[in-house]
Amino acid sequence: MIVVLERGCSLKDKAAVVRFVEQAGGRLLVSELGDTSHIGLIDDRARSLADQIVAMPGVDRIDQHAPPYPQVSREHHGHDSLVGVRDVTIGGDDVVVIGGPCSVESAEQIDIVSRGVAQSGAKMLRGGAFKPRSSPYSFQGLGEEGLLLLAAAGRRTGLPIVTEVVAPEDVELVATHADMLQIGARNMQNFRLLSEVGSQPVPVLLKRGIASSIDELLLAAEYIASAGNSQVVLCERGIRTFETKTRNTLDLSAVPVLKAESHLPVIVDPSHAAGDRKLVPALAAAGIASGADGLLIEVHNDPDNALSDGPQSLTIESFAEAVNQVRAIASALGRRVAA
Amino acid sequence: MIVVLERGCSLKDKAAVVRFVEQAGGRLLVSELGDTSHIGLIDDRARSLADQIVAMPGVDRIDQHAPPYPQVSREHHGHDSLVGVRDVTIGGDDVVVIGGPCSVESAEQIDIVSRGVAQSGAKMLRGGAFKPRSSPYSFQGLGEEGLLLLAAAGRRTGLPIVTEVVAPEDVELVATHADMLQIGARNMQNFRLLSEVGSQPVPVLLKRGIASSIDELLLAAEYIASAGNSQVVLCERGIRTFETKTRNTLDLSAVPVLKAESHLPVIVDPSHAAGDRKLVPALAAAGIASGADGLLIEVHNDPDNALSDGPQSLTIESFAEAVNQVRAIASALGRRVAA
Amino acid sequence: MIVVLERGCSLKDKAAVVRFVEQAGGRLLVSELGDTSHIGLIDDRARSLADQIVAMPGVDRIDQHAPPYPQVSREHHGHDSLVGVRDVTIGGDDVVVIGGPCSVESAEQIDIVSRGVAQSGAKMLRGGAFKPRSSPYSFQGLGEEGLLLLAAAGRRTGLPIVTEVVAPEDVELVATHADMLQIGARNMQNFRLLSEVGSQPVPVLLKRGIASSIDELLLAAEYIASAGNSQVVLCERGIRTFETKTRNTLDLSAVPVLKAESHLPVIVDPSHAAGDRKLVPALAAAGIASGADGLLIEVHNDPDNALSDGPQSLTIESFAEAVNQVRAIASALGRRVAA
Amino acid sequence: MIVVLERGCSLKDKAAVVRFVEQAGGRLLVSELGDTSHIGLIDDRARSLADQIVAMPGVDRIDQHAPPYPQVSREHHGHDSLVGVRDVTIGGDDVVVIGGPCSVESAEQIDIVSRGVAQSGAKMLRGGAFKPRSSPYSFQGLGEEGLLLLAAAGRRTGLPIVTEVVAPEDVELVATHADMLQIGARNMQNFRLLSEVGSQPVPVLLKRGIASSIDELLLAAEYIASAGNSQVVLCERGIRTFETKTRNTLDLSAVPVLKAESHLPVIVDPSHAAGDRKLVPALAAAGIASGADGLLIEVHNDPDNALSDGPQSLTIESFAEAVNQVRAIASALGRRVAA
């Protein structure tokens, strides 16, 4: 629910509305949009105040149908957000390709892969150090050691790094070394973790849960934004359906829907959706054609011996080819992938 | 299950295998692939003969894991199939855009829309005359009258026409007037209808059911092919998932999967999947980027007053823009959309 | 949309409303509910008349939110429907168990199974003669021969028979021999077939499609009812989800939802949902506990050698045990399964 | 993968196998099942040792197909587990009904509801203090204050209490006051949280995620068990499907599947699946009929004014009626619900 104030509403009237809502126990969010002020009432209890608010001086009208995620909604912000990760900008004309291995496995592996993706057009480096795995007996990642190896590879290649954080108590450690924090699909509704990454300044890559609706993804982003960090990039990575030929079903309709509903940048992860490297180039191309601002692609120097997600990892060579095709499509759409 | 004969296997040995299978009551399909002969045993009862067959002269080996849809499988045919619809070829370098209204509503409407799509790059005209509708009280199409109006519009514009057929007893009538017969998503497992369109020569556009797996789509295509008609084009049009922001979830992973599993052409229908015309251009672009051979797009001269599917129909103007974007992407991929 | 007339509305006023709607091209359905008359306007075009209708003499109010399936909706009929199949009544206090093989395979097989289920508490016999199969190379049923064998077994045991009909042109033949016509899940939206079984008098067992919503099932029932046959029993048989441990996911919530939305009887088919005979007794018990009026269970004298659906077929012995458990539960709920 | 030792295998031979696996870096789990010893190799890397292990003295055979969750699998333990929560036993002949509000809202509310459910046959009390909510602006629970109110109500009524824990750092606090810790659906794959509740002794109620397969639920239980806590009760609470008439689709097939695959007790939560209190009694009855060991039901003294989940909460009166019906069904199945 959004309270729209009249153009030229006095500061005094505005303050009176804010005070009234707060005294009634409501939470609110004030934004200036063009030359009007919008007060988002972001608490169900505040709805009961609507009749009284609409009668106050300076109030133009109340929009009961405004979406429940005011800070990340397109309605509330007129322009596309840009998210800066060191010298890389996500959400502008440049399509940002992020490449790297599912897991950091060794100094040698991350060195080879990071140099390979850097030479092939990647602008950021990904790699898992803390891995959430369905089985307690699967490889769980190298932890802090992996994080340090990834950071070193990022420094050597000049690529900003993004890596997953899986628990609130790890956020501080990971944020010390990473340029961007990834929230994985399984943790998209780990609300404590969302609040934690929301109350620190490193930008966040938020992956859609495999059974999460688009609305729930936007509400998860709102958790982060409402805790203070609006540097959020959304990531479509496939949803769970009845189809078994692919690991998940990449929902590319989500890209234009998210761009319409929200001002946040949107990227696509074709690797996890496909679960099969043969499908990744076509889905990467389709992702960019659907309007995505970037790609997150798993790359490994020796996929057949990878400790995790080998079947869906591209080799460095096939990554380079896929990026070339993506570059051609981006160019056809008036966007750019750095050479 | 496929029996692969030795290179240079004599005609006599080959005939002996065929005779043996047939006498045992098995059904088979003989194909020449390069310089070897493949005998597809397409009946479960034939599997029990494997041990005896493999010992016969001229037999190289038996592939037990060959897919259950031999005639449409990629494994069994080495090259991409081309499906010709009058002077249009689907499956080659040219990306074929098919446009037109959900339903033929009147002579004037189909005249305006057919001229509009023809001028914007469509190479074929679509339009519904017999409509399957979830409610018995919804508009069911104009029937034969609609079919004649569509055929007349096709003649005037020179565009081949494709229209849906919903019952076996209508196949002959529809095939008299249409250049291509569409099997809709709801009828993908109407096996009697599949057999009927399989036993006549007009090419078939087969849409994936909303809850059909990729394997089931290929088995449905096999129904048509095994009845004698191998001129089949597959169409991905969205599957049913938990997401409610779109009418269905367009499964673009299906495109590279189908291209890998089958030699048949594959097109994408972004309109039914989206259910919202704002999403159609992005999904059309993504469909071509994923490797599809064509697009099926709903277009209406006055979408807000359409008798069916108005919300997802493009106007003629937005269709022209969408085709331009698709043309740029096709060109980036080394393919072509006619001007 | 439902027009509710005033209590004591004169015949003249009522006729005037009916005439007005019909002259405007609207379709309608008049029902007497208690001491008021309800006129269901079952055509979208009729909605535009609402303002004029509500001003006519004798009209109490218009309910715009009445469900789109007036004839089968609970709202429109105050009492539970009873569907009679010869001397068996479905929908009353007696829980009706229907047993039999997936396919009729031979005279001997149907004889053994029919006697077995009759002795174990089944009140009706099922068996497939015309089988819809995903692959063109699978066993398609014995056709008319199977139908005659089933009818003979029904006569010998005194059990009414239900069997599937898969195409409009077969309805007359099947209706000559069967006591109830089954519409299978794959044909739930084969609207031509629905209309055909709706325009003849034999009662219909309508199975929910594997990806059909509850609303779509009720609309399919409305197709049959609106064609003139209101003797329809609904059947929940599992929907397609991501879970692969079972063939489909039995949606028992559908039972109380259907009972609330519709006056039609509802039965449950635990066999197709489970795909595994070990699960069938528990799901049969749960189905009756959820409020179903009956069960449709696959039984075979030699499941391991069945030509179709063997893995999910109960033996005659395990069927007898399952029925005993169902009888105990029915009794706990104040219902009855015949001994 | 399970190594089965010969009956009467010497301690020396057994130790040699264990030492060999450990030296090769494999993880293992030794269980005595009847008079044979089973060594579960619970690490993929250990599989490569199979050939060498099978040749060692005392080894009978290797079962490559043993499930990946050895500690919770039925195969590995021959008998049903009983989980004790103070004086209540879950998994035995007694069906355990757990009732209480979604959220603890006030001292008065939890007092009324706890007395009400205790008088109606509940053997345990549920209530949320830490609530995970999709929106950051929804009521998040009373936190520690709610926990203390719930514990006090448990003491007054004599009912053991179960409440959700949402973050690893809260486990110690919640375990101090609660008799059983609930892991909610959204946290089923919060592996850090699973490990944390696994390394303390209070029993755990583990809910299935809304898009989690049965295998993933069992792997999540294995996380808890492998961390040292085998007192785990599984809970089916509905999965996400395309159907929108219910909040989720209760998958009662999961009950017999889980009972077949695992020795852990299984309960059903009909409230969250239904999302509508009218459906809860039928689904509670069906849950017990499907073989569940208990029920988790939301009850509120004033559902229409509940701060969360009001629409699906039973009143105290309707809870009492539902328990009576469940008692009758349990009795028909030879089980018992305390009066």
Side-chain angles (χ1 to χ4, degrees), chain B residues 261-273:
Chain B
E261 302 272 331
S262 172
H263 54 86
L264 297 177
V266 179
I267 71 169
V268 166
D269 170 356
S271 305
H272 281 86

Side-chain angles (χ1 to χ4, degrees), chain B:
Chain B
M1 191 176 97
I2 302 283
V3 180
V4 183
L5 302 184
E6 293 167 354
R7 282 158 199 258
C9 164
S10 70
L11 265 182
K12 194 180 142 214
D13 286 348
K14 187 164 147 185
V17 176
V18 168
R19 210 176 316 117
F20 175 76
V21 174
E22 287 182 345
Q23 284 175 355
R27 298 178 60 193
L28 49 70
L29 170 80
V30 182
S31 311
E32 307 302 316
L33 197 58
D35 52 358
T36 58
S37 292
H38 288 218
I39 299 179
L41 294 179
I42 47 186
D43 190 304
D44 283 349
R45 282 169 287 189
R47 282 177 195 264
S48 56
L49 311 173
D51 285 349
Q52 294 172 71
I53 293 171
V54 85
M56 293 177 79
V59 173
D60 182 33
R61 62 193 160 81
I62 286 190
D63 181 356
Q64 294 275 8
H65 300 295
Y69 29 77
Q71 303 206 38
V72 306
S73 79
R74 168 70 70 184
E75 218 163 277
H76 206 57
H77 292 250
H79 57 90
D80 285 354
S81 286
L82 301 180
V83 172
V85 187
R86 293 221 325 257
D87 59 333
V88 173
T89 300
I90 307 180
D93 283 346
D94 280 19
V95 165
V96 175
V97 180
I98 307 170
C102 175
S103 301
V104 178
E105 298 172 8
S106 68
E108 190 197 358
Q109 173 241 22
I110 191 65
D111 185 56
I112 297 175
V113 177
S114 61
R115 291 180 198 277
V117 300
Q119 284 164 9
S120 309
K123 299 304 286 178
M124 286 181 61
L125 175 65
R126 61 149 290 152
F130 296 91
K131 305 295 303 172
R133 300 300 298 273
S134 295
S135 166
Y137 309 123
S138 297
F139 174 60
Q140 311 275 325
L142 294 181
E144 186 170 357
E145 181 194 345
L147 187 59
L148 296 174
L149 291 173
L150 182 69
R155 280 192 301 274
R156 271 196 306 278
T157 54
L159 301 182
I161 63 170
V162 55
T163 194
E164 182 165 356
V165 57
V166 299
E169 66 266 30
D170 295 349
V171 170
E172 193 179 337
L173 170 67
V174 179
T176 305
H177 298 289
D179 303 300
M180 186 173 213
L181 302 178
Q182 178 180 312
I183 301 292
R186 288 191 188 82
N187 279 313
M188 196 204 82
Q189 293 198 320
N190 183 337
F191 302 119
R192 199 66 71 88
L193 180 59
L194 298 178
S195 297
E196 197 69 27
V197 298
S199 46
Q200 56 79 52
V202 176
V204 177
L205 177 59
L206 177 65
K207 292 185 120 180
R208 180 181 185 185
I210 57 166
S212 297
S213 67
I214 290 172
D215 271 346
E216 289 168 341
L217 172 59
L218 289 169
L219 284 166
E222 185 79 11
Y223 257 95
I224 301 172
S226 72
N229 185 352
S230 59
Q231 293 290 94
V232 178
V233 172
L234 307 171
C235 180
E236 162 61 33
R237 48 76 73 217
I239 57 174
R240 187 163 266 186
T241 70
F242 62 82
E243 179 59 61
T244 56
K245 285 271 183 186
T246 45
R247 182 167 166 178
N248 292 122
T249 296
L250 189 66
D251 177 14
L252 287 182
S253 314
V255 177
V257 171
L258 286 169
K259 298 297 271 185
E261 302 272 331
S262 172
H263 54 86
L264 297 177
V266 179
I267 71 169
V268 166
D269 170 356
S271 305
H272 281 86
D276 176 350
R277 81 178 63 108
K278 288 196 310 294
L279 307 176
V280 170
L283 293 179
I288 293 309
S290 75
D293 298 305
L295 294 167
L296 184 68
I297 300 180
E298 290 191 340
V299 184
H300 198 281
N301 55 320
D302 181 11
D304 293 340
N305 292 304
L307 290 183
S308 58
D309 283 354
Q312 73 203 29
S313 294
L314 293 183
T315 60
I316 294 171
E317 295 70 34
S318 53
F319 174 73
E321 285 169 33
V323 173
N324 282 338
Q325 194 183 46
V326 164
R327 186 177 289 117
I329 289 172
S331 175
L333 296 168
R335 302 186 79 169
R336 221 172 63 93
V337 174

Side-chain angles (χ1 to χ4, degrees), chain A residues 120-295:
Chain A
S120 311
K123 300 305 286 179
M124 287 182 61
L125 176 65
R126 60 149 291 151
F130 298 90
K131 303 295 304 171
R133 300 299 298 272
S134 295
S135 165
Y137 309 123
S138 296
F139 175 60
Q140 311 277 324
L142 295 180
E144 186 169 358
E145 182 194 344
L147 188 59
L148 295 174
L149 290 173
L150 183 69
R155 279 192 303 274
R156 271 196 307 277
T157 53
L159 302 182
I161 62 171
V162 55
T163 195
E164 183 165 355
V165 56
V166 298
E169 65 267 28
D170 296 348
V171 171
E172 194 178 336
L173 170 67
V174 179
T176 305
H177 299 287
D179 302 301
M180 187 173 212
L181 303 177
Q182 178 180 312
I183 301 293
R186 288 192 188 81
N187 278 314
M188 195 203 84
Q189 292 198 320
N190 184 337
F191 302 119
R192 199 67 70 86
L193 180 59
L194 298 178
S195 296
E196 198 70 26
V197 299
S199 46
Q200 56 80 53
V202 175
V204 177
L205 177 59
L206 176 66
K207 290 184 124 182
R208 181 181 182 184
I210 56 164
S212 297
S213 67
I214 291 173
D215 271 345
E216 288 168 343
L217 172 59
L218 290 169
L219 283 165
E222 185 80 12
Y223 258 94
I224 301 172
S226 73
N229 185 352
S230 59
Q231 294 290 94
V232 179
V233 173
L234 307 172
C235 180
E236 162 61 33
R237 47 77 71 218
I239 58 174
R240 187 163 268 187
T241 71
F242 62 83
E243 179 57 61
T244 56
K245 284 270 182 186
T246 45
R247 182 168 168 176
N248 292 122
T249 298
L250 189 66
D251 177 14
L252 286 181
S253 313
V255 177
V257 171
L258 286 169
K259 299 296 272 185
E261 301 272 331
S262 172
H263 53 87
L264 297 176
V266 179
I267 72 170
V268 166
D269 170 357
S271 305
H272 281 86
D276 176 351
R277 80 179 66 107
K278 287 195 311 295
L279 307 176
V280 170
L283 294 178
I288 293 309
S290 75
D293 299 304
L295 294 166

Side-chain angles (χ1 to χ4, degrees), chain D residues 163-184:
Chain D
T163 194
E164 182 167 355
V165 57
V166 298
E169 66 266 30
D170 295 349
V171 170
E172 194 179 336
L173 170 67
V174 179
T176 305
H177 299 288
D179 303 300
M180 186 174 213
L181 302 178
Q182 178 180 311
I183 301 292

